[in-house]
Amino acid sequence: MRTLLLPLLLLGLQGPAHGQRVGVVLGGGGATAMTHIGVLMALEDRGIPIDHIAGSSMGALVGAMYAAGYAPREIDSLFRTDLYRTMAEGGVEDRYTYFFKHDQPDASVINVKIDLDTLLQTSLPTNLRSPVLIDFEQMRGFAGASAASGYDLDSLFVPFRCVASDITAQRPVLFRRGDLAQAVRASMSYPFYFKPIRVDGHLMMDGGLYNNFPSDIMYEEFMPDVIIGSNVASNSAPPDEDDLLSQLRAMLQEPTNYAVHCADGLIIEPRTTTGLFDFSRIGATIEDGYAAAMARMPEIEALVWRRADAADLVARRAAFRAKWPPLHFGGLEVTGLRKGRAQYVQRMLTDRDGAIDMRRFKSLYFRLHDDDNIGRLYPTARYRPDRGDFDLRLDVAAEKELHARFGGMFSSRPINTGMVGLRYNLFGRWSASLQALSWFGKFYAAGQVRLRADLPTAAPIYLEPLFTIHRTDHFRSFATFFDEVRPSFVVLRETWGGLNAGMGMGNKGRLRLDVKYGQTRDSYYQHLDFSPTDTADVTEFLHWTGGFITERNSLNRKQHPNAGEQLKVEARFISGTERTVPGSTGTASATTRARHDWFFVKATLDKYFLPRGVFRFGGLVEGVYSNYPFLSNYTATVARAPVFQPTPESRTYFLENFRAQQYVACGLRTIVALAHNRFDLRLEGYLFQPYRAILRSVDDEPAAGLAVSDRAYLASGSLIYNSPVGPIWFNTSYIDGLPEPWAVSLNFGYVIFAQRSWE
């Protein structure tokens, strides 16, 4: 008997790991599963040991962070950061958005990617949120723990398991070994939210599709004495015949047994008002989990007699994290691309000697992500004990070759304009694209073709030849589409071709040089009381122009931004010949010809304050200095004079009072951001101060006003809904100098037009 009992006694005295063992199971549930963090905090606060941990979906992420050696309060702090919120929303940190790679903004609201290899079959998007930031941060955050454990999930700070759904083989997958970041990412690839990833050639989706509460995995893998579960999910209701989402969920998701597979165990079920994808209430959600766990603590303490010593826990956690090797890449392998394209990726990420500079790596990585020819990036870090650093394996997919874009501006005012664009990607040793854009409508019509090629140089440089033709028709109608449209008052036409050359200046800056040759042809009447039988004056200007623009831009939207800033300085020289043929509404009778040369310098600062929160404030300052000459008559002169147009609505009017050779303009904005930034109440006011206003003399000649004697005002109020496809807004504007200065409109889309030759 003593011989039999002695080994058992010694086994019991070897320490807590061989006494009562506690396993914790964390279920899926999207944003609601952040309650698990509060549960873990409560368990540690009361000394409840956690010897094993398992999770699915969002529970896998929280569980993996604990198993990797992050303390619950440290996890809490990380989840409350702007970085985590940006990851959850599928964004990229503002300072890593690479402005140099961004095209000129256009009016598109829908982007359809077309794969030419599948007989022009369009590809629907497989995800609503970009996973690029979360993939990068998980690789960076879990690389050290994976290396310290020897890629064995049993050798982490706490042994860990997570499950994913193999939709290739249509079965659940259990991760016991391998890269921790990859296992977690596979487990949390919620359908249509985050893009699935491939593991060993199989496509992996959210673990919750087959097992959203892996209590059975915990029991079968670790056989703990007690299982404590944290669960915020339940099986879905039966599908509804009018609810497509419920039907898809029923087809994809198998019922889960939300029960503890252990004689001694209980499930904590936090109650929270947080929605499945609502990552705006992080702090409150974590606190809901803490409160729910503390409410069940008497039962937990009755089940678990063992207690974890806080000092010992801190020491063991520190000892494990001390084994993390620093993240430094000694090698790079690019998969998924053919040779020439892979070499382009390697050049983007490495120095001339092929080394990866870790100080610049994150910036370079997201520069690569912003490339139009890159469709997917997935990084994996693998530790090399022989070298003491990591190999970076980067799985890259080229973007689909053909993109179609649709958009425009649709308004209760008669300025409706459609837009269609096509982009064909050219990807090899260079990254290039060929684009064709078209705008169509009575108010505005245009066509543009441009080819952009990013050169394989040490400094980021692109060349962009382009050709543009467009027409703006300021016909006499001001209120709604029910008005009778009279003949056109001013029609501005322009045709030009040229070459842009750009160079990146940091992540947010760009310098662009250009040279262009073009012709403008403006048709106009000198007075508003013209009749259909009158003939218009016509002014043609054949010219060449060259200039530069240096710009730093971090605005968060291409229209109606409420965060970020734009600082732009531009200078330009224009030289050409004017020819004006008078019509029947002016006093002139002879055709005039004249040579004109001038330059202008323009500076604009558009800045927003308090980038988060309900109340935002912004300011705009703009100044122009030029020696712009007077042309043959007043209307010809103001039609091409520098103009101040600070709001989308102002860009649709012919603003005589906001044009001058030299001016200073400024404005203030107050924005109330509601419903998690989906609605903006926007109030704006602007002052335009010309040095000398351009006035009309009695014989329709242009004349200079007295110095700083004239000014104009503009005010605007808008309620904007930032829908997933584009802004919908109701606007009331007061614009000084118009025959009807007050304007009201309901609009959808973007007031963004093609680049002009003098821009």
Side-chain angles (χ1 to χ4, degrees):
M1 182 68 70
R2 287 195 299 270
T3 304
L4 292 173
L5 290 178
L6 184 59
L8 295 177
L9 178 62
L10 291 174
L11 184 63
L13 293 175
Q14 284 179 0
H18 299 290
Q20 187 186 40
R21 292 176 299 126
V22 179
V24 172
V25 178
L26 308 177
T32 60
M34 291 185 296
T35 55
H36 300 330
I37 303 170
V39 170
L40 295 177
M41 289 169 59
L43 294 177
E44 281 210 355
D45 283 354
R46 298 302 288 265
I48 304 301
I50 301 174
D51 301 301
H52 314 281
I53 196 163
S56 181
S57 192
M58 188 68 174
L61 174 59
V62 176
M65 294 181 75
Y66 187 89
Y70 293 95
R73 280 189 163 72
E74 188 177 6
I75 301 173
D76 180 357
S77 298
L78 290 171
F79 270 61
R80 292 176 191 253
T81 61
D82 290 342
L83 173 63
Y84 177 78
R85 187 179 293 107
T86 303
M87 285 192 291
E89 294 171 352
V92 172
E93 294 166 278
D94 178 69
R95 66 181 181 274
Y96 292 113
T97 301
Y98 194 34
F99 180 62
F100 171 79
K101 285 288 187 180
H102 293 184
D103 282 333
Q104 288 285 340
D106 58 42
S108 60
V109 298
I110 297 174
N111 189 351
V112 179
K113 302 175 183 180
I114 303 171
D115 194 341
L116 295 180
D117 293 334
T118 55
L119 300 178
L120 298 182
Q121 176 183 354
T122 60
S123 300
L124 295 175
T126 58
N127 57 294
L128 298 174
R129 295 287 186 266
S130 168
V132 63
L133 180 58
I134 199 167
D135 289 345
F136 182 89
E137 290 299 331
Q138 285 188 356
M139 179 270 294
R140 191 169 72 166
F142 288 134
S146 293
S149 68
Y151 299 92
D152 180 356
L153 303 191
D154 283 333
S155 299
L156 293 165
F157 171 68
V158 170
F160 172 70
R161 295 289 186 272
C162 72
V163 293
S165 299
D166 183 344
I167 60 174
T168 303
Q170 297 184 353
R171 62 181 179 85
V173 173
L174 172 64
F175 288 93
R176 297 185 182 92
R177 295 187 57 82
D179 183 71
L180 183 59
Q182 187 181 67
V184 172
R185 176 64 169 81
S187 184
M188 59 182 294
S189 299
Y190 194 88
F192 309 116
Y193 193 81
F194 280 141
K195 187 186 290 289
I197 66 168
R198 289 194 179 275
V199 179
D200 297 329
H202 288 239
L203 206 59
M204 299 291 171
M205 270 193 173
D206 194 281
L209 296 181
Y210 290 119
N211 190 344
N212 204 36
F213 187 70
S215 173
D216 55 335
I217 299 297
M218 169 62 70
Y219 192 72
E220 292 166 5
E221 290 289 308
F222 299 118
M223 292 290 291
D225 300 294
V226 178
I227 292 180
I228 300 172
S230 178
N231 178 52
V232 289
S234 61
N235 288 313
S236 303
D240 187 276
E241 61 183 1
D242 296 321
D243 188 345
L244 177 61
L245 187 60
S246 71
Q247 296 169 23
L248 290 172
R249 188 185 297 115
M251 288 187 289
L252 291 171
Q253 191 169 1
E254 292 187 1
T256 293
N257 182 9
Y258 293 100
V260 173
H261 289 69
C262 184
D264 291 329
L266 58 80
I267 299 178
I268 302 166
E269 296 181 308
R271 295 289 177 260
T272 181
T273 58
T274 301
L276 185 65
F277 300 120
D278 182 8
F279 291 93
S280 64
R281 300 181 67 255
I282 295 172
T285 309
I286 294 172
E287 290 160 10
D288 290 339
Y290 188 90
M294 294 304 288
R296 301 291 302 274
M297 196 56 67
E299 300 170 73
I300 296 171
E301 291 177 334
L303 278 175
V304 182
W305 53 260
R306 216 186 99 217
R307 294 292 178 267
D309 180 73
D312 177 66
L313 190 62
V314 170
R316 289 192 298 111
R317 184 172 280 132
F320 179 76
R321 292 181 62 164
K323 296 191 295 183
W324 292 11
L327 184 61
H328 179 80
F329 295 119
L332 171 62
E333 178 188 2
V334 178
T335 63
L337 298 176
R338 59 177 182 258
K339 184 177 179 180
R341 295 175 173 181
Q343 290 175 344
Y344 173 79
V345 171
Q346 289 172 336
R347 285 197 307 269
M348 288 285 290
L349 295 177
T350 59
D351 297 334
R352 290 186 176 181
D353 58 0
I356 296 177
D357 184 349
M358 295 305 297
R359 293 171 300 177
R360 302 177 59 233
F361 175 66
K362 186 172 182 178
S363 178
L364 296 175
Y365 183 89
F366 286 102
R367 289 185 185 187
L368 180 65
H369 161 70
D370 275 338
D371 195 296
D372 286 337
N373 280 299
I374 300 298
R376 182 191 73 239
L377 290 175
Y378 185 76
T380 305
R382 190 75 181 183
Y383 186 60
R384 292 288 302 272
D386 55 322
R387 296 199 315 248
D389 59 17
F390 290 82
D391 278 338
L392 172 64
R393 179 178 177 179
L394 197 59
D395 186 32
V396 187
E399 187 56 276
K400 290 181 171 57
E401 292 178 329
L402 187 63
H403 287 205
R405 305 201 294 277
F406 306 93
M409 169 68 176
F410 307 94
S411 174
S412 59
R413 291 179 52 230
I415 55 172
N416 297 289
T417 305
M419 195 216 84
V420 175
L422 291 175
R423 185 180 78 224
Y424 182 70
N425 288 330
L426 304 166
F427 189 20
R429 295 180 181 272
W430 294 16
S431 178
S433 63
L434 177 64
Q435 299 194 55
L437 303 172
S438 174
W439 289 259
F440 46 90
K442 176 168 177 54
F443 167 68
Y444 182 75
Q448 184 179 80
V449 178
R450 64 176 184 252
L451 171 67
R452 170 168 168 158
D454 288 27
L455 305 184
T457 52
I461 295 174
Y462 75 83
L463 296 178
E464 185 180 50
L466 64 170
F467 175 81
T468 303
I469 181 170
H470 49 170
R471 182 216 70 216
T472 305
D473 188 342
H474 293 280
F475 47 85
R476 298 299 304 140
S477 184
F478 288 97
T480 70
F481 50 70
F482 296 109
D483 290 349
E484 178 183 357
V485 177
R486 296 181 59 189
S488 300
F489 169 50
V490 177
V491 180
L492 308 177
R493 296 182 177 87
E494 186 174 271
T495 303
W496 63 271
L499 176 68
N500 293 332
M503 182 175 69
M505 301 175 65
N507 268 29
K508 296 298 180 185
R510 177 170 60 194
L511 170 66
R512 195 196 77 201
L513 308 173
D514 64 66
V515 60
K516 304 165 187 171
Y517 185 79
Q519 179 186 36
T520 65
R521 189 177 190 274
D522 302 335
S523 303
Y524 50 89
Y525 297 92
Q526 293 292 347
H527 302 283
L528 296 179
D529 57 352
F530 61 91
S531 70
T533 59
D534 284 322
T535 57
D537 290 14
V538 176
T539 296
E540 295 180 346
F541 187 64
L542 195 65
H543 65 278
W544 72 270
T545 176
F548 75 86
I549 297 176
T550 178
E551 180 177 4
R552 179 178 174 81
N553 193 324
S554 62
L555 296 177
N556 63 335
R557 298 180 186 135
K558 59 184 178 181
Q559 184 172 286
H560 301 124
N562 64 11
E565 70 175 13
Q566 180 188 42
L567 175 61
K568 181 164 63 173
V569 177
E570 50 187 310
R572 182 163 301 281
F573 179 79
I574 302 103
S575 178
T577 303
E578 173 202 356
R579 177 178 178 270
T580 296
V581 179
S584 61
T585 60
T587 59
S589 58
T591 298
T592 60
R593 291 179 173 82
R595 176 85 182 180
H596 300 294
D597 301 296
W598 76 92
F599 73 91
F600 73 82
V601 179
K602 179 178 180 180
T604 305
L605 174 61
D606 187 356
K607 185 175 179 61
Y608 292 85
F609 305 93
L610 305 177
R612 296 197 178 274
V614 174
F615 293 98
R616 320 280 180 91
F617 301 95
L620 174 67
V621 179
E622 184 172 289
V624 168
Y625 180 83
S626 77
N627 63 343
Y628 175 72
F630 287 163
L631 304 186
S632 297
N633 57 65
Y634 168 79
T635 306
T637 300
V638 297
R640 295 293 169 177
V643 59
F644 178 62
Q645 295 173 301
T647 66
E649 293 76 21
S650 65
R651 296 174 203 137
T652 64
Y653 289 98
F654 185 71
L655 303 181
E656 297 180 42
N657 283 23
F658 291 82
R659 297 171 185 263
Q661 296 160 301
Q662 302 100 24
Y663 68 79
V664 174
C666 60
L668 295 175
R669 302 165 176 140
T670 300
I671 302 163
V672 182
L674 305 170
H676 309 306
N677 215 22
R678 289 192 291 269
F679 285 91
D680 281 356
L681 177 61
R682 188 181 183 96
L683 303 175
E684 306 172 73
Y686 301 93
L687 167 67
F688 175 79
Q689 179 61 68
Y691 175 61
R692 294 181 185 274
I694 302 175
L695 305 178
R696 184 194 295 268
S697 67
V698 292
D699 56 355
D700 298 324
E701 293 292 319
L706 297 176
V708 198
S709 61
D710 300 276
R711 61 194 56 86
Y713 302 93
L714 188 152
S716 173
S718 301
L719 179 61
I720 307 162
Y721 169 54
N722 297 294
S723 77
V725 292
I728 302 170
W729 79 98
F730 176 79
N731 174 263
T732 300
S733 293
Y734 174 84
I735 302 177
D736 208 358
L738 293 181
E740 299 178 24
W742 286 99
V744 178
S745 62
L746 179 64
N747 314 283
F748 166 69
Y750 294 99
V751 186
I752 300 176
F753 306 129
Q755 176 188 347
R756 301 181 185 277
S757 65
W758 298 353
E759 295 178 339

